[in-house]
């Protein structure tokens, strides 16, 4: 199993919506970690529409880490999203994120342990370049995925972005053809567009703002399922190449 870290260069292209959607469509056990330093626990306010209180999970993990018990806390503290997906809500804001800096390296090691036990891990890193960006989680990931849209603002920002990563960096394009194609975007940003997701604002709003499910809309759900398969296959084929070498 593997660790996938998602980030963006600018704007709000849909990182949080995408990782949450992927977790809900993931074919197997998955843990979603919200590590966006300024995201303000967007999933609790958005998808859960404030109905789930903030359990301060990252603070609890930090406390457990200081007490030498991070392994147990990581198994007990996450919230349930579905039968197969669980979730660690993000920092309440930048001030809280600043206090968590020494947690990230320890958490990266624990997530690696979890991935060897058959759990895939999806991480929302938020935007690149923030002072409290969880860089150790990016460095510890098997795949770093830059989420972007296909307009010039997104393309310009992604072209200039520095992505801290030891593993290959891929692009996930939300809304190809609005206006540029996946192929053109990949050529300009010089990274492969590994995955595309359809432009589906009503479906996306279910995930990002807790809106009611629109009738007969399933394009995004299908796209997310396909994206999950593609991401998994990408890491598996790399592992096979490494084993052959
Ligand atoms: N596939 C999609 N089609 C249409 N709209 C989308 C799609 N994915 C996300 N959105 C919309 O884009 C907006 C921003 O989404 P989201 O909050 O996930 O972005 P983000 O990259 O996490 O932003 P931030 O960097 O501020 O955390 C939301 O209104 C969401 O509904
Ligand atoms: Mg976000």
């Amino acid at each position: 199993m593997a660790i996938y870290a998602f980030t963006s260069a600018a704007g709000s292209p849909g990182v949080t919506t995408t990782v949450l959607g992927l977790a809900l469509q993931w074919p197997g056990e998955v843990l979603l970690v919200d590590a966006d330093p300024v995201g303000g626990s967007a999933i609790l306010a958005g998808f859960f529409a404030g109905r789930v209180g903030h359990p301060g999970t990252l603070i609890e993990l930090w406390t457990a880490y200081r007490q030498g018990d991070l392994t147990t806390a990581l198994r007990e503290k996450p919230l349930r999203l579905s039968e197969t997906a669980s979730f660690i809500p993000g920092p309440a804001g930048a001030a809280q994120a600043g206090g968590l800096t020494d947690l990230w390296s320890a958490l990266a090691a624990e997530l690696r342990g979890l991935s060897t036990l058959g759990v895939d891990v999806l991480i929302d890193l938020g935007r690149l370049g923030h002072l409290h960006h969880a860089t150790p989680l990016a460095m510890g990931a098997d795949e770093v995925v830059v989420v972007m849209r296909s307009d010039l603002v997104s393309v310009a920002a992604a072209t200039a972005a520095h992505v801290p990563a030891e593993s290959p960096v891929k692009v996930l394009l939300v809304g190809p053809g609005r206006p540029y194609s996946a192929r053109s975007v990949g050529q300009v940003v010089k990274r492969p567009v590994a995955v595309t997701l359809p432009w589906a604002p009503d479906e996306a709003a279910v995930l990002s703002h807790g809106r009611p499910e629109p009738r007969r809309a399933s394009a995004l759900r299908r796209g997310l399922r396909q994206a999950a398969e593609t991401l998994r296959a990408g890491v598996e084929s790399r592992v096979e190449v490494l084993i052959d070498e």
Side-chain angles (χ1 to χ4, degrees):
M1 298 295 124
I3 302 172
Y4 307 82
F6 296 75
T7 187
S8 70
S12 294
V15 179
T16 304
T17 306
T18 299
V19 290
L20 174 60
L22 284 171
L24 292 170
Q25 298 303 326
W26 203 258
E29 281 284 320
V30 66
L31 172 67
L32 168 58
V33 181
D34 180 354
D36 182 347
V38 290
S41 301
I43 292 174
L44 292 177
F47 181 68
F48 286 110
R51 286 188 294 269
V52 176
H54 196 305
T57 312
L58 275 171
I59 299 297
E60 287 177 317
L61 290 187
W62 181 83
T63 308
Y65 157 64
R66 302 293 283 213
Q67 292 168 348
D69 209 12
L70 183 56
T71 309
T72 312
L74 196 58
R75 280 154 186 71
E76 290 175 356
K77 298 296 179 190
L79 302 178
R80 274 266 140 229
L81 276 177
S82 73
E83 267 183 30
T84 49
S86 52
F87 161 57
I88 298 175
Q96 197 180 74
L100 297 169
T101 316
D102 56 345
L103 174 68
W104 301 134
S105 297
L107 186 59
E110 286 298 328
L111 294 176
R112 174 59 58 206
L114 210 56
S115 78
T116 61
L117 295 175
V119 180
D120 281 311
V121 179
L122 309 178
I123 304 170
D124 181 348
L125 292 169
R127 288 183 210 181
L128 289 162
H130 192 273
L131 176 64
H132 301 307
H133 188 82
T135 304
L137 294 183
M139 300 302 278
D142 295 292
E143 197 109 286
V144 175
V145 182
V146 176
V147 178
M148 58 181 290
R149 294 194 183 176
S150 65
D151 55 63
L152 192 53
V153 173
S154 222
V155 171
T159 308
H162 169 69
V163 188
E166 284 190 348
S167 300
V169 177
K170 290 181 172 172
V171 167
L172 184 153
L173 194 60
V174 174
R178 291 174 52 84
Y180 300 115
S181 68
R183 192 156 170 268
S184 315
V185 170
Q187 279 169 351
V188 176
V189 302
K190 298 192 171 54
R191 300 188 196 283
V193 176
V195 183
T196 60
L197 284 177
W199 183 251
D202 291 345
E203 268 189 273
V206 177
L207 298 165
S208 62
H209 290 82
R211 298 266 158 75
E213 193 88 36
R215 269 199 230 156
R216 287 199 297 273
S218 58
L220 185 57
R221 201 178 311 144
R222 267 202 312 277
L224 287 163
R225 208 168 295 149
Q226 177 70 52
E229 299 286 359
T230 306
L231 288 167
R232 277 181 26 140
V235 169
E236 275 164 22
S237 64
R238 255 200 357 260
V239 170
E240 275 167 24
V241 170
L242 290 175
I243 289 170
D244 285 351
E245 284 169 357

